[in-house]
Amino acid sequence: MIPMADSSPAGAPAIAAALTEPTVQVTSSFTGAKIVLYGAVYDPRRQPHDVVVVVRGPEQPVRISRKVRVAGLWLNSRPVTFEGAPGYYMAASTRPLNAVTGFRNRRTLGLGVDNLPFAAPAETRVETRYGVSDVVVSRLGGEYLAYRRAVIRLKQQGGLYAADSDAVRFVDTGLFRADIALPSSAPAGHYTAEILLFRGGEPIARRTRSLTVEKVGIERTLYALAHERPWSYGVLSVVFGVFAGWVAAVVFRQP
Amino acid sequence: MDVYLPIAEVAVNAPLLVALGALVGFLSGLFGIGGGFLMTPILVFLGIPPAVAVASEANHVTASSVSGVVAYRRRGAVDLKMGGVLAAGGAVGALLGVELFRVLLALGQADLVVSLAYLVFLGAIGGLMVTESLRTLIRQRRGVVATPHRDRRPPWLYGLPLRVRFPKSRLYISVIPPLALGAFTGVLSAIMGVGGGFVLVPAMVYLLRMPAGMVVGTSLFQIVLTTALTTVLQAGRNQTVDVVLAGLLLLGGVLGAQFGARASTRFRPEALRAVLGVIVLFVGLRMGMGLLLTPGDPFVLSPGSATP
């Protein structure tokens, strides 16, 4: 017997998906990775569907500064910290997201880089305005949106945030494939891949798969040593340096 | 062939780094400099986070200076006592510098201060070197014999207390100037990822009036001790030392330095100083350009945690 893709009632559309590699290993030759996800849409009535695959990396606070000109020099302003931003975000879909579903769904489901739910809580305060209590305002005022957009823009430039409306393709009836590029700067940690099935602009089925990006081998050893026993790591680095320099001096000793 | 750097957390082209290490090593051998001031900007341009570039370069400078010290020591051209006093100052400077760098990282201003330090120090020293060596070259061309200033020792320097004998350098001077000089280079090594030879060598010649033969070996000795301490402090306090990066640079660096040292005998020292001055000036201005030109994007991500 073939297992059902979802515990939905018989006849209702369902979705199933699996990652070809649930673990991405960061070795010394790591230059980024391509994650391939295969999935199936089960729908006896064969109606048109859209599939959206959202991959999110571990949450990382982001610090951003604005360049300000002081006495002819471009200096950094006080950095603003945004919380709740994923270290990696990719929305892959069969069609552009605004064609797949409406604004409300994109906002609540966090689809597309503009709908990521991150904020700068340290900059906000709650006050009473125009007689209305508990109004959340940002100290950045009108600048807030410019900062938020800049975070997204800079992350996009680094290849860490993306939306690709070609990345999910149907390879056969009901069978789709998503290709997700992970740059070498993608953070290590726990990732989730959320697979959503849309019909007529409404999400009708959902699956979640998890993915781990981990450092292995010498990378892991050095990283762990440098962060867990930083002083020993520092002394070892110097010992290595002095030894290497001494070897060079002996090898190239002039007669 | 790309290599993923464990601390910088970026992939870099390994043969390119080795080749750059060799090129900078060649220039250091040719000019008798550490090369940190050339390497740190190159690493930043390659996309290594400035904090990691500065700290790893301290580690690289330690390694490349060790081979220099060993070679000078064989010739008896290292004043260990003077080097020790300079390094004691260097230790204080490194401690202060690494704490300062830590605060700057927390404030999101580290990359900015690195650029500013390059613009100010390399701009000033490069400018001085170029004008000084051009003047010498023009004088030589005209056949004018340079008037020696050698014996005009600055009186304020010799009026200071705590005088100590440095037999190897035939000096009897206060320890305060070498301590202060060492401390200054220690701060520079922490915030610029340099050995500080470009400050030390002229200061030892013109301020401390050390014999020319002792200057380079002694400055290298001080640089080894100071940058070794800086490396340990950067690793311990900021976790920014990438030993794989330092190793790759060293691989090319040791070879390059040997060829550079051999090539240096073929050029006149004044011409070499002029060329070095131009390079120093160029690097300073190039690093400072980001401060002067209108940025392409008015925003910049600042790495590092929010809490110091």
Side-chain angles (χ1 to χ4, degrees):
Chain A
M1 186 187 144
I2 302 161
M4 288 286 285
D6 208 349
S7 57
S8 47
I15 194 164
L19 291 154
T20 50
E21 301 278 346
T23 309
V24 174
Q25 295 194 326
V26 178
T27 60
S28 59
S29 58
F30 181 70
T31 56
K34 201 170 95 170
I35 304 164
V36 180
L37 181 141
Y38 275 102
V41 174
Y42 169 78
D43 179 13
R45 282 183 286 172
R46 300 250 173 111
Q47 289 157 310
H49 290 106
D50 278 305
V51 174
V52 178
V53 176
V54 178
V55 179
R56 289 184 181 87
E59 217 176 277
Q60 272 184 338
V62 180
R63 291 203 312 160
I64 186 163
S65 304
R66 171 170 245 170
K67 296 264 180 197
V68 284
R69 196 158 197 186
V70 180
L73 294 179
W74 285 96
L75 308 180
N76 292 353
S77 72
R78 182 180 61 90
V80 171
T81 305
F82 281 87
E83 308 270 352
Y88 174 83
Y89 177 88
M90 167 74 172
S93 51
T94 43
R95 282 193 296 158
L97 289 167
N98 54 7
V100 170
T101 184
F103 175 76
R104 193 178 53 84
N105 277 335
R106 277 180 291 162
R107 189 40 57 115
T108 50
L109 294 167
L111 303 184
V113 289
D114 295 326
N115 298 314
L116 285 170
F118 62 86
E123 305 297 326
T124 57
R125 59 171 186 265
V126 178
E127 58 179 45
T128 302
R129 275 200 173 180
Y130 311 116
V132 182
S133 60
D134 299 338
V135 176
V136 179
V137 291
S138 175
R139 221 180 305 161
L140 298 166
E143 293 285 88
Y144 180 74
L145 272 181
Y147 271 89
R148 218 189 109 92
R149 284 201 200 101
V151 169
I152 294 165
R153 183 173 65 240
L154 292 169
K155 288 275 193 182
Q156 277 178 316
Q157 281 168 13
L160 288 168
Y161 284 10
D164 187 344
S165 55
D166 289 326
V168 180
R169 283 173 294 118
F170 275 91
V171 288
D172 202 347
T173 313
L175 183 68
F176 66 87
R177 172 195 165 121
D179 290 289
I180 286 133
L182 207 62
S184 75
S185 50
H190 182 76
Y191 284 61
T192 57
E194 198 181 3
I195 304 101
L196 294 153
L197 181 67
F198 282 89
R199 194 181 63 207
E202 289 303 315
I204 50 170
R206 173 203 295 238
R207 295 299 256 181
T208 307
R209 290 285 170 265
S210 63
L211 171 72
T212 309
V213 176
E214 59 178 16
K215 297 189 182 198
V216 292
I218 185 86
E219 303 300 303
R220 186 200 185 98
T221 313
L222 287 175
Y223 184 87
L225 188 63
H227 286 86
E228 282 154 28
R229 313 195 59 183
W231 295 99
S232 317
Y233 173 85
V235 171
L236 284 176
S237 303
V238 169
V239 168
F240 158 77
V242 170
F243 178 73
W246 178 75
V247 167
V250 170
V251 169
F252 292 103
R253 180 171 192 165
Q254 302 203 341
Chain B
M1 199 196 104
D2 282 13
V3 163
Y4 182 84
L5 301 174
I7 307 301
E9 300 191 291
V10 288
V12 289
N13 187 292
L16 177 71
L17 272 189
V18 174
L20 286 170
L23 177 70
V24 172
F26 178 79
L27 293 175
S28 9
L30 187 62
F31 298 122
I33 53 170
F37 78 89
L38 283 170
M39 207 34 135
T40 308
I42 291 175
L43 294 179
V44 173
F45 296 146
L46 286 179
I48 312 262
V52 176
V54 163
S56 311
E57 193 43 32
N59 192 14
H60 173 220
V61 170
T62 312
S64 57
S65 303
V66 164
S67 19
V69 169
V70 172
Y72 280 98
R73 186 90 181 88
R74 282 194 202 114
R75 281 186 255 153
V78 180
D79 185 341
L80 291 178
K81 192 171 177 185
M82 177 60 90
V85 172
L86 285 166
V92 175
L95 274 166
L96 289 175
V98 171
E99 288 312 304
L100 176 68
F101 199 66
R102 193 173 160 73
V103 171
L104 291 171
L105 275 176
L107 293 174
Q109 305 290 347
D111 52 340
L112 197 82
V113 174
V114 171
S115 306
L116 200 60
Y118 269 87
L119 180 66
V120 171
F121 294 118
L122 294 193
I125 294 201
L128 278 175
M129 285 173 79
V130 170
T131 47
E132 150 80 22
S133 48
L134 279 183
R135 209 174 288 154
T136 315
L137 284 174
I138 290 167
R139 235 188 260 129
Q140 283 178 346
R141 190 146 301 172
R142 288 194 191 143
V144 182
V145 181
T147 42
H149 300 286
R150 284 264 136 192
D151 292 333
R152 263 207 272 136
R153 298 187 160 186
W156 59 268
L157 201 56
Y158 291 85
L160 292 170
L162 297 169
R163 291 176 73 158
V164 170
R165 260 176 225 291
F166 295 98
K168 199 108 199 226
S169 299
R170 295 190 301 280
L171 283 176
Y172 179 48
I173 57 164
S174 162
V175 291
I176 294 168
L179 278 178
L181 180 60
F184 181 62
T185 57
V187 173
L188 291 190
S189 90
I191 61 172
M192 292 171 75
V194 297
F198 64 92
V199 174
L200 264 179
V201 170
M204 286 160 87
V205 173
Y206 296 111
L207 284 178
L208 306 183
R209 306 279 164 176
M210 278 177 66
M214 285 290 162
V215 167
V216 177
T218 308
S219 77
L220 281 175
F221 179 64
Q222 191 265 359
I223 287 168
V224 167
L225 296 181
T226 308
T227 54
L229 182 64
T230 305
T231 307
V232 174
L233 290 170
Q234 294 278 30
R237 294 292 278 159
N238 299 328
Q239 286 100 50
T240 43
V241 175
D242 198 311
V243 74
V244 175
L245 176 60
L248 283 172
L249 297 176
L250 193 64
L251 210 63
V254 288
L255 269 174
Q258 297 302 321
F259 288 108
R262 270 165 223 181
S264 69
T265 52
R266 290 194 216 146
F267 300 97
R268 280 192 304 168
E270 296 80 20
L272 281 178
R273 259 217 311 282
V275 174
L276 179 61
V278 171
I279 294 176
V280 169
L281 196 58
F282 175 78
V283 173
L285 293 178
R286 181 68 190 80
M287 276 297 266
M289 244 160 69
L291 296 170
L292 301 170
L293 298 180
T294 308
D297 196 312
F299 289 93
V300 60
L301 293 179
S302 30
S305 61
T307 47

